[in-house]
Amino acid sequence: MEKSERITDIYASMVFSEDVMRERLPKEVYKSLINTIANGNEIDAGIADVVAGVMKDWAIEHGATHYTHWFHPLNGFTAEKHEAFLTPVGGGKAITEFSGKELIKGEPDASSLPSGGLRATFEARGYTAWDPASYAFIKDGSLYIPTAFCSYTGEALDTKTPLLRSMDAVNTEAMRILRIFGDNTSRRVLSTVGAEQEYFLIKEEDFKARRDLFYCGRTLFGAPAIKGQEMEDHYFGALRPKVKEFMKELDFELWKLGIAAKTKHNETAPAQHELAPLFCTTNIAVDQNLLIMEEMKTIAQRHGMECLLSEKPFMGINGSGKHNNWSLGTDTGINLLKPGKKPCENKLFLLVLAAVIKAVDEYQDLLRISAATPGNDCRLGGDEAPPAIISIFLGDELDTIVNSIVDGSVYNKKQSKYMSLGVATVPSIRVDDTDRNRTSPFAFTGNKFEFRMVGSSQNIALANIVLNTAVANSFSQFADVLEGAENVSTAIDKLLADTFREHRRILFAGNSYSAEWEAEAKARGLSNFKTSTEAYSHFTDEKNVELFTKYGVMSKTEMISRREIFFENYRKVKNIEAKTMLEMTVRDFIPAVSSYITELAEGINLKKSALKTADTSCEEGIMEKLSGLLGKTYEAYRALEAAEAKAVAIKDVEEAALYYTGTVEAKMLALRKYVDQMELLTKRSAWPVPTYGDLTFGV
Ligand code: ADP
Ligand code: MG
């Protein structure tokens, strides 16, 4: 990292950006490519060779030796296979080559990536296809070309393809609405996303010393540390030097990749932090979020730390999520969710608001599924993250407007409030129209919606696929009504009133963490899928298949395969967790406690032989407790072992996943309970793994 460089020079220096394209591509080629990027038109295959050549030269000038098609398979991670630009030409000489064909199409043997039954191992062929709308970039000596990934038979095997399709869908349907409102200048509506990312940093040696962290990315055992987050001293606290150094390097690396890392701070739990980039077009925001996670991991290791992206690395303190800030904007720069000075008169805004409210109410289940992972099951509903119930927080002003539209009453806007802090030198500040509600899973925050349920380790694509498609569907239904209306203005008013009336049940401004809300939500008929497995089952419900197929976002086959992968992944994660617990129990904890008991017993004997009247009640007391717990631990171990064996024997993935949720999970928690109790009674130096205190206060 060259510290002398200015951040404006560094920014996007490793991106094949529009600037680089304009500078280097022949004018006609540039125009054609930009037409594809900006307007979503099909790429002109004839220009691929020229673009490839220019890309290659630019990449080599910037130190690249390889290129890779970069794609996002259904395992939730990213995939890459690097090819050198080099081609030997005989006589000990070589040239560099990169053709349009190589840019456009790749053919990874992808048989080891999840396909949910879409591809048998013997039909290993998969294709990657260049996505010109996401910028290529250079990382670690390779030119990364963002691509979509599909099977030989054309089914999408990735998260990007349906995302791009959903962006098309919302564009098409939103444009119909804009035209009805007389907007004839905008040519495109883009969904935009800014994803805030939470994470933990711990010492690398502590990470390596625990099999649960090592294999599962989260702790499966661990008694609470004496101090947790109750002092509220970590949130926004001063950054410790090691963390500061890490964040500094992270910012620089991200800036180079054109990721506008903007905000960084300590989060609620000890060792927890957050990074937020500036928002951008959704497909790019998804690429960027994946890169942010990767860079966090690599850079942490360079600083002797490990970055934990798991949703719940430690029981008893806050877990991590992502806030998926989502909005819609036109190519002419209008944010469709910006209420303006008089939202009650801004009919376009109100209609877009109604479209989102309707979409979220009708597709609560899909949104819930988009945040369903085994890790997130440990987090949602834990009084620290949104509950598993989806609801929308609008804030005072919009709530009042919605109610006045439904009830036909007069809406009176409150005057802007100013607040004085009672200190002459401190200026008065304008108070926002509404307070925040941090318990809401889906909150309006001024000019965007913030979906706060997504887990920290997740790819945010699915959440945005659901949002884009469900909102596209609302727009489509609205446009059908309005395009045929005799009086558009009255039709809009009626549509607003009808939609708000029908979907008002999804609005909730109270405390979403409370038990009262759970009861009330039930009475309102809102869904409440407490576990991922319960939610997954609804992915292919008829109404959901209808939605995705209608807009060409996913075929039924693609949906069935994804549903299969949800369950499959869940089962795999839980299987690894159960096996890790079994192993740690017999190889780490039982030997440690058993040795300590022996040590105590020997001590007692020694003491007694040295002194007939020796008081050994303390040693005996501890020994007795530990020995009782050790027996219970073994019992719990045997129970988990039996349940795990049963789970493994279940052939059907869905059934197996449900068995993990319903049975194995409880056995895991029971085992943990005894081990954690033993931890608190065992000599510190005899405990075989770093404790919660070491882990969360170690850096
Ligand atoms: P908050 O304080 O409500 O979390 P911030 O201003 O910090 O809001 O923004 C949080 C995230 O929302 C940032 O990533 C920001 O870029 C993003 N954001 C802001 N405007 C939009 C928008 N129109 N569309 C999508 N994301 C947005
Ligand atoms: Mg936020």
Side-chain angles (χ1 to χ4, degrees):
M1 176 170 86
E2 303 80 18
K3 294 207 176 64
S4 59
E5 284 185 69
R6 286 197 301 201
I7 61 175
T8 42
D9 296 335
I10 290 165
Y11 184 71
S13 58
M14 290 298 171
V15 182
F16 194 71
S17 62
E18 269 180 51
D19 274 353
V20 179
M21 293 178 204
R22 190 181 321 111
E23 230 168 73
R24 301 197 172 218
L25 290 171
K27 212 171 182 168
E28 287 312 306
V29 174
Y30 168 73
K31 269 204 204 137
S32 162
L33 188 55
I34 287 300
N35 187 28
T36 298
I37 297 172
N39 304 322
N41 296 338
E42 198 172 324
I43 184 95
D44 169 8
I47 67 167
D49 273 324
V50 183
V51 177
V54 170
M55 256 190 196
K56 179 204 71 182
D57 291 341
W58 170 82
I60 290 172
E61 270 172 47
H62 288 78
T65 53
H66 289 70
Y67 73 90
T68 179
H69 273 202
W70 187 61
F71 58 102
H72 310 162
L74 295 171
N75 58 14
F77 301 102
T78 61
E80 51 195 46
K81 183 179 91 178
H82 303 258
E83 305 281 347
F85 285 124
L86 208 68
T87 310
V89 287
K93 283 197 170 40
I95 53 162
T96 58
E97 269 187 325
F98 183 50
S99 68
K101 221 177 97 202
E102 287 166 311
L103 167 64
I104 287 186
K105 189 180 114 182
E107 219 178 295
D109 174 352
S111 50
S112 296
L113 293 165
S115 76
L118 275 181
R119 188 180 9 71
T121 340
F122 57 89
E123 299 165 332
R125 223 184 258 278
Y127 295 113
T128 51
W130 176 36
D131 164 24
S134 303
Y135 299 117
F137 55 91
I138 299 168
K139 195 165 83 85
D140 307 323
S142 279
L143 170 69
Y144 281 68
I145 299 153
T147 58
F149 175 50
C150 65
S151 73
Y152 183 63
T153 41
E155 277 97 7
L157 290 176
D158 67 349
T159 52
K160 185 189 270 280
T161 308
L163 179 71
L164 294 170
R165 293 173 183 157
S166 75
M167 290 171 67
D168 276 348
V170 78
N171 168 43
T172 308
E173 304 303 331
M175 283 309 297
R176 289 173 66 192
I177 300 289
L178 287 184
R179 295 291 182 252
I180 292 165
F181 276 80
D183 176 342
N184 291 314
T185 39
S186 298
R187 289 198 302 173
R188 204 163 179 217
V189 171
L190 284 163
S191 69
T192 51
V193 164
E196 305 164 48
Q197 175 74 45
E198 291 178 339
Y199 61 99
F200 279 83
L201 287 176
I202 61 169
K203 284 200 303 210
E204 192 179 7
E205 69 221 54
D206 287 347
F207 173 82
K208 288 191 170 143
R210 290 189 61 125
R211 298 279 149 166
D212 46 6
L213 285 174
F214 199 71
Y215 288 129
C216 312
R218 72 179 187 104
T219 58
L220 301 168
F221 298 97
I226 295 195
K227 185 179 169 205
Q229 63 195 42
E230 67 275 32
M231 295 302 291
E232 301 174 334
D233 52 355
H234 192 255
Y235 189 62
F236 286 3
L239 304 171
R240 271 154 298 155
K242 258 190 106 146
V243 172
K244 204 184 251 176
E245 278 305 307
F246 159 84
M247 286 180 169
K248 191 169 174 183
E249 188 174 343
L250 178 62
D251 279 342
F252 265 76
E253 289 305 319
L254 295 178
W255 290 336
K256 280 194 214 163
L257 295 171
I259 300 170
K262 181 86 178 159
T263 312
K264 52 184 177 184
H265 61 83
N266 285 345
E267 255 301 329
T268 310
Q272 193 185 26
H273 314 279
E274 181 181 302
L275 178 144
L278 268 187
F279 73 99
C280 56
T281 312
T282 303
N283 58 320
I284 296 176
V286 174
D287 286 2
Q288 293 193 344
N289 183 250
L290 288 163
L291 284 170
I292 288 172
M293 292 196 283
E294 278 175 25
E295 291 292 324
M296 280 177 169
K297 290 237 154 233
T298 342
I299 294 169
Q301 282 166 4
R302 274 190 228 143
H303 291 256
M305 296 186 290
E306 193 67 39
C307 171
L308 304 179
L309 291 170
S310 156
E311 283 78 14
K312 194 74 182 176
F314 308 102
M315 198 188 255
I317 57 173
N318 273 21
S320 301
K322 292 194 224 245
H323 288 176
N324 188 84
N325 294 272
W326 177 94
S327 188
L328 290 172
T330 66
D331 60 334
T332 48
I334 306 164
N335 178 350
L336 298 181
L337 279 171
K338 193 169 172 183
K341 286 221 163 57
K342 289 186 176 166
C344 58
E345 290 167 20
N346 186 346
K347 292 289 162 70
L348 175 58
F349 164 74
L350 289 174
L351 201 66
V352 176
L353 184 70
V356 176
I357 291 173
K358 172 176 156 73
V360 173
D361 187 27
E362 288 178 340
Y363 297 99
Q364 297 162 44
D365 49 354
L366 286 177
L367 279 172
R368 171 68 182 91
I369 292 166
S370 78
T373 67
N376 227 8
D377 277 3
C378 311
R379 174 178 161 257
L380 298 178
D383 283 4
E384 48 146 309
I389 307 162
I390 305 269
S391 66
I392 301 180
F393 172 78
L394 288 184
D396 278 350
E397 181 171 25
L398 292 185
D399 260 340
T400 317
I401 294 175
V402 166
N403 289 332
S404 72
I405 290 175
V406 175
D407 309 333
S409 56
V410 181
Y411 166 73
N412 292 314
K413 188 182 162 49
K414 283 185 288 188
Q415 290 301 312
S416 291
K417 272 189 297 193
Y418 283 82
M419 177 169 72
S420 161
L421 293 174
V423 181
T425 48
V426 176
S428 292
I429 49 177
R430 193 170 102 76
V431 183
D432 286 300
D433 291 330
T434 185
D435 197 3
R436 288 175 170 247
N437 180 328
R438 60 174 209 96
T439 67
S440 175
F442 201 92
F444 184 72
T445 44
N447 59 0
K448 61 192 190 292
F449 274 101
E450 190 166 328
F451 182 37
R452 298 168 173 158
M453 241 168 145
V454 188
S456 50
S457 73
Q458 283 191 272
N459 179 326
I460 54 172
L462 186 57
N464 293 297
I465 291 169
V466 173
L467 276 172
N468 290 341
T469 316
V471 172
N473 183 57
S474 302
F475 284 150
S476 172
Q477 292 179 9
F478 289 176
D480 286 348
V481 173
L482 297 177
E483 281 164 357
E486 268 174 36
N487 182 331
V488 175
S489 175
T490 38
I492 290 173
D493 289 342
K494 181 169 179 332
L495 196 55
L496 284 174
D498 289 349
T499 310
F500 287 142
R501 184 177 310 109
E502 195 179 337
H503 299 288
R504 193 157 50 163
R505 63 169 189 165
I506 196 80
L507 304 180
F508 180 63
N511 178 7
S512 304
Y513 296 174
S514 67
E516 292 78 30
W517 169 232
E518 195 170 340
E520 159 139 16
K522 194 171 173 200
R524 292 191 193 184
L526 301 180
S527 59
N528 182 4
F529 303 121
K530 287 192 191 273
T531 61
S532 292
T533 42
E534 214 183 315
Y536 295 152
S537 311
H538 294 278
F539 190 61
T540 47
D541 283 359
E542 205 165 310
K543 76 170 187 36
N544 297 337
V545 174
E546 246 167 50
L547 174 76
F548 283 130
T549 50
K550 177 166 181 204
Y551 300 96
V553 171
M554 277 185 250
S555 67
K556 186 167 183 188
T557 323
E558 286 169 344
M559 289 183 73
I560 291 170
S561 76
R562 269 151 225 258
R563 176 185 151 133
E564 173 110 354
I565 291 169
F566 292 146
F567 281 113
E568 181 75 55
N569 178 60
Y570 189 95
R571 166 164 88 170
K572 284 178 184 162
V573 168
K574 283 293 161 193
N575 173 42
I576 294 172
E577 287 184 357
K579 284 196 302 193
T580 305
M581 288 190 86
L582 291 170
E583 191 195 276
M584 286 177 82
T585 303
V586 275
R587 298 185 64 186
D588 292 328
F589 303 127
I590 291 179
V593 175
S594 177
S595 302
Y596 181 49
I597 290 175
T598 312
E599 187 187 316
L600 287 171
E602 284 169 0
I604 291 167
N605 285 342
L606 274 176
K607 230 171 153 180
K608 277 188 174 156
S609 64
L611 183 67
K612 283 236 155 33
T613 56
D615 180 358
T616 54
S617 57
C618 168
E619 292 91 331
E620 277 171 41
I622 291 176
M623 197 171 82
E624 200 177 336
K625 274 194 189 165
L626 272 178
S627 144
L629 285 169
L630 197 59
K632 292 224 169 73
T633 300
Y634 187 59
E635 244 173 67
Y637 166 85
R638 293 289 298 271
L640 176 59
E641 191 184 40
E644 165 65 7
K646 253 197 188 154
V648 170
I650 300 173
K651 286 228 161 54
D652 181 68
V653 278
E654 188 164 338
E655 205 184 306
L658 287 167
Y659 186 74
Y660 273 107
T661 314
T663 306
V664 182
E665 181 72 26
K667 309 268 185 255
M668 287 168 61
L669 289 172
L671 174 58
R672 172 183 187 143
K673 193 177 82 188
Y674 295 122
V675 172
D676 291 357
Q677 285 176 25
M678 296 198 301
E679 181 188 328
L680 294 176
L681 288 169
T682 305
K683 180 169 81 170
R684 196 181 300 276
S685 60
W687 197 248
V689 297
T691 63
Y692 266 31
D694 303 332
L695 292 165
T696 53
F697 291 96
V699 171

PDB file of all heavy atoms in Angstrom, residues 571-585:
ATOM      1  N   ARG A 571     -28.209 -29.368   5.863  1.00  0.00           N
ATOM      2  CA  ARG A 571     -27.825 -30.658   6.412  1.00  0.00           C
ATOM      3  C   ARG A 571     -26.308 -30.774   6.542  1.00  0.00           C
ATOM      4  O   ARG A 571     -25.798 -31.233   7.559  1.00  0.00           O
ATOM      5  CB  ARG A 571     -28.339 -31.785   5.506  1.00  0.00           C
ATOM      6  CG  ARG A 571     -27.677 -33.105   5.857  1.00  0.00           C
ATOM      7  CD  ARG A 571     -28.370 -34.284   5.310  1.00  0.00           C
ATOM      8  NE  ARG A 571     -27.911 -34.624   3.981  1.00  0.00           N
ATOM      9  CZ  ARG A 571     -28.263 -35.762   3.384  1.00  0.00           C
ATOM     10  NH1 ARG A 571     -29.068 -36.598   3.994  1.00  0.00           N
ATOM     11  NH2 ARG A 571     -27.838 -36.026   2.186  1.00  0.00           N
ATOM     12  N   LYS A 572     -25.596 -30.321   5.534  1.00  0.00           N
ATOM     13  CA  LYS A 572     -24.134 -30.436   5.577  1.00  0.00           C
ATOM     14  C   LYS A 572     -23.555 -29.627   6.728  1.00  0.00           C
ATOM     15  O   LYS A 572     -22.685 -30.086   7.457  1.00  0.00           O
ATOM     16  CB  LYS A 572     -23.527 -29.952   4.259  1.00  0.00           C
ATOM     17  CG  LYS A 572     -23.676 -30.935   3.123  1.00  0.00           C
ATOM     18  CD  LYS A 572     -23.092 -30.351   1.852  1.00  0.00           C
ATOM     19  CE  LYS A 572     -23.314 -31.277   0.667  1.00  0.00           C
ATOM     20  NZ  LYS A 572     -23.142 -30.549  -0.603  1.00  0.00           N
ATOM     21  N   VAL A 573     -24.031 -28.393   6.857  1.00  0.00           N
ATOM     22  CA  VAL A 573     -23.512 -27.526   7.924  1.00  0.00           C
ATOM     23  C   VAL A 573     -23.762 -28.168   9.287  1.00  0.00           C
ATOM     24  O   VAL A 573     -22.872 -28.257  10.131  1.00  0.00           O
ATOM     25  CB  VAL A 573     -24.180 -26.130   7.854  1.00  0.00           C
ATOM     26  CG1 VAL A 573     -23.875 -25.319   9.103  1.00  0.00           C
ATOM     27  CG2 VAL A 573     -23.716 -25.384   6.612  1.00  0.00           C
ATOM     28  N   LYS A 574     -24.983 -28.645   9.482  1.00  0.00           N
ATOM     29  CA  LYS A 574     -25.330 -29.219  10.785  1.00  0.00           C
ATOM     30  C   LYS A 574     -24.567 -30.515  11.043  1.00  0.00           C
ATOM     31  O   LYS A 574     -24.173 -30.806  12.168  1.00  0.00           O
ATOM     32  CB  LYS A 574     -26.844 -29.462  10.857  1.00  0.00           C
ATOM     33  CG  LYS A 574     -27.627 -28.197  11.098  1.00  0.00           C
ATOM     34  CD  LYS A 574     -27.316 -27.672  12.496  1.00  0.00           C
ATOM     35  CE  LYS A 574     -27.678 -26.221  12.652  1.00  0.00           C
ATOM     36  NZ  LYS A 574     -27.126 -25.604  13.858  1.00  0.00           N
ATOM     37  N   ASN A 575     -24.357 -31.268   9.982  1.00  0.00           N
ATOM     38  CA  ASN A 575     -23.601 -32.515  10.114  1.00  0.00           C
ATOM     39  C   ASN A 575     -22.169 -32.221  10.558  1.00  0.00           C
ATOM     40  O   ASN A 575     -21.634 -32.856  11.467  1.00  0.00           O
ATOM     41  CB  ASN A 575     -23.637 -33.243   8.758  1.00  0.00           C
ATOM     42  CG  ASN A 575     -22.746 -34.463   8.723  1.00  0.00           C
ATOM     43  OD1 ASN A 575     -22.695 -35.231   9.666  1.00  0.00           O
ATOM     44  ND2 ASN A 575     -22.018 -34.630   7.638  1.00  0.00           N
ATOM     45  N   ILE A 576     -21.555 -31.210   9.941  1.00  0.00           N
ATOM     46  CA  ILE A 576     -20.187 -30.852  10.322  1.00  0.00           C
ATOM     47  C   ILE A 576     -20.168 -30.343  11.768  1.00  0.00           C
ATOM     48  O   ILE A 576     -19.289 -30.688  12.553  1.00  0.00           O
ATOM     49  CB  ILE A 576     -19.618 -29.791   9.348  1.00  0.00           C
ATOM     50  CG1 ILE A 576     -19.459 -30.402   7.960  1.00  0.00           C
ATOM     51  CG2 ILE A 576     -18.286 -29.248   9.852  1.00  0.00           C
ATOM     52  CD1 ILE A 576     -19.101 -29.403   6.873  1.00  0.00           C
ATOM     53  N   GLU A 577     -21.161 -29.559  12.122  1.00  0.00           N
ATOM     54  CA  GLU A 577     -21.198 -29.042  13.495  1.00  0.00           C
ATOM     55  C   GLU A 577     -21.327 -30.171  14.517  1.00  0.00           C
ATOM     56  O   GLU A 577     -20.618 -30.202  15.525  1.00  0.00           O
ATOM     57  CB  GLU A 577     -22.361 -28.049  13.654  1.00  0.00           C
ATOM     58  CG  GLU A 577     -22.089 -26.716  12.969  1.00  0.00           C
ATOM     59  CD  GLU A 577     -23.189 -25.677  13.187  1.00  0.00           C
ATOM     60  OE1 GLU A 577     -24.217 -26.002  13.827  1.00  0.00           O
ATOM     61  OE2 GLU A 577     -23.009 -24.541  12.721  1.00  0.00           O
ATOM     62  N   ALA A 578     -22.228 -31.097  14.226  1.00  0.00           N
ATOM     63  CA  ALA A 578     -22.434 -32.207  15.177  1.00  0.00           C
ATOM     64  C   ALA A 578     -21.157 -33.036  15.303  1.00  0.00           C
ATOM     65  O   ALA A 578     -20.728 -33.388  16.410  1.00  0.00           O
ATOM     66  CB  ALA A 578     -23.599 -33.077  14.708  1.00  0.00           C
ATOM     67  N   LYS A 579     -20.517 -33.301  14.172  1.00  0.00           N
ATOM     68  CA  LYS A 579     -19.288 -34.108  14.218  1.00  0.00           C
ATOM     69  C   LYS A 579     -18.179 -33.367  14.980  1.00  0.00           C
ATOM     70  O   LYS A 579     -17.404 -33.970  15.710  1.00  0.00           O
ATOM     71  CB  LYS A 579     -18.823 -34.434  12.793  1.00  0.00           C
ATOM     72  CG  LYS A 579     -19.655 -35.529  12.141  1.00  0.00           C
ATOM     73  CD  LYS A 579     -18.989 -36.123  10.913  1.00  0.00           C
ATOM     74  CE  LYS A 579     -18.709 -35.076   9.865  1.00  0.00           C
ATOM     75  NZ  LYS A 579     -18.340 -35.615   8.559  1.00  0.00           N
ATOM     76  N   THR A 580     -18.116 -32.052  14.766  1.00  0.00           N
ATOM     77  CA  THR A 580     -17.097 -31.268  15.464  1.00  0.00           C
ATOM     78  C   THR A 580     -17.326 -31.332  16.974  1.00  0.00           C
ATOM     79  O   THR A 580     -16.381 -31.477  17.761  1.00  0.00           O
ATOM     80  CB  THR A 580     -17.142 -29.802  14.983  1.00  0.00           C
ATOM     81  OG1 THR A 580     -17.005 -29.785  13.573  1.00  0.00           O
ATOM     82  CG2 THR A 580     -16.028 -28.982  15.604  1.00  0.00           C
ATOM     83  N   MET A 581     -18.587 -31.231  17.378  1.00  0.00           N
ATOM     84  CA  MET A 581     -18.883 -31.283  18.811  1.00  0.00           C
ATOM     85  C   MET A 581     -18.495 -32.629  19.401  1.00  0.00           C
ATOM     86  O   MET A 581     -17.922 -32.696  20.488  1.00  0.00           O
ATOM     87  CB  MET A 581     -20.372 -31.026  19.054  1.00  0.00           C
ATOM     88  CG  MET A 581     -20.753 -29.586  18.810  1.00  0.00           C
ATOM     89  SD  MET A 581     -22.430 -29.222  19.368  1.00  0.00           S
ATOM     90  CE  MET A 581     -22.145 -28.827  21.086  1.00  0.00           C
ATOM     91  N   LEU A 582     -18.813 -33.686  18.652  1.00  0.00           N
ATOM     92  CA  LEU A 582     -18.477 -35.017  19.159  1.00  0.00           C
ATOM     93  C   LEU A 582     -16.967 -35.146  19.313  1.00  0.00           C
ATOM     94  O   LEU A 582     -16.468 -35.609  20.335  1.00  0.00           O
ATOM     95  CB  LEU A 582     -19.021 -36.096  18.203  1.00  0.00           C
ATOM     96  CG  LEU A 582     -20.551 -36.235  18.158  1.00  0.00           C
ATOM     97  CD1 LEU A 582     -20.979 -37.151  17.025  1.00  0.00           C
ATOM     98  CD2 LEU A 582     -21.084 -36.739  19.503  1.00  0.00           C
ATOM     99  N   GLU A 583     -16.259 -34.679  18.304  1.00  0.00           N
ATOM    100  CA  GLU A 583     -14.806 -34.813  18.361  1.00  0.00           C
ATOM    101  C   GLU A 583     -14.206 -33.983  19.495  1.00  0.00           C
ATOM    102  O   GLU A 583     -13.367 -34.453  20.250  1.00  0.00           O
ATOM    103  CB  GLU A 583     -14.176 -34.403  17.024  1.00  0.00           C
ATOM    104  CG  GLU A 583     -12.709 -34.800  16.987  1.00  0.00           C
ATOM    105  CD  GLU A 583     -11.910 -34.138  15.880  1.00  0.00           C
ATOM    106  OE1 GLU A 583     -11.944 -34.659  14.765  1.00  0.00           O
ATOM    107  OE2 GLU A 583     -11.262 -33.115  16.150  1.00  0.00           O
ATOM    108  N   MET A 584     -14.645 -32.746  19.602  1.00  0.00           N
ATOM    109  CA  MET A 584     -14.082 -31.896  20.661  1.00  0.00           C
ATOM    110  C   MET A 584     -14.387 -32.474  22.040  1.00  0.00           C
ATOM    111  O   MET A 584     -13.575 -32.382  22.955  1.00  0.00           O
ATOM    112  CB  MET A 584     -14.626 -30.472  20.548  1.00  0.00           C
ATOM    113  CG  MET A 584     -14.025 -29.689  19.392  1.00  0.00           C
ATOM    114  SD  MET A 584     -14.751 -28.046  19.219  1.00  0.00           S
ATOM    115  CE  MET A 584     -13.826 -27.109  20.452  1.00  0.00           C
ATOM    116  N   THR A 585     -15.559 -33.072  22.165  1.00  0.00           N
ATOM    117  CA  THR A 585     -15.933 -33.621  23.468  1.00  0.00           C
ATOM    118  C   THR A 585     -15.005 -34.750  23.895  1.00  0.00           C
ATOM    119  O   THR A 585     -14.453 -34.719  24.996  1.00  0.00           O
ATOM    120  CB  THR A 585     -17.390 -34.125  23.449  1.00  0.00           C
ATOM    121  OG1 THR A 585     -18.225 -33.044  23.074  1.00  0.00           O
ATOM    122  CG2 THR A 585     -17.816 -34.643  24.810  1.00  0.00           C
TER     123      THR A 585
END
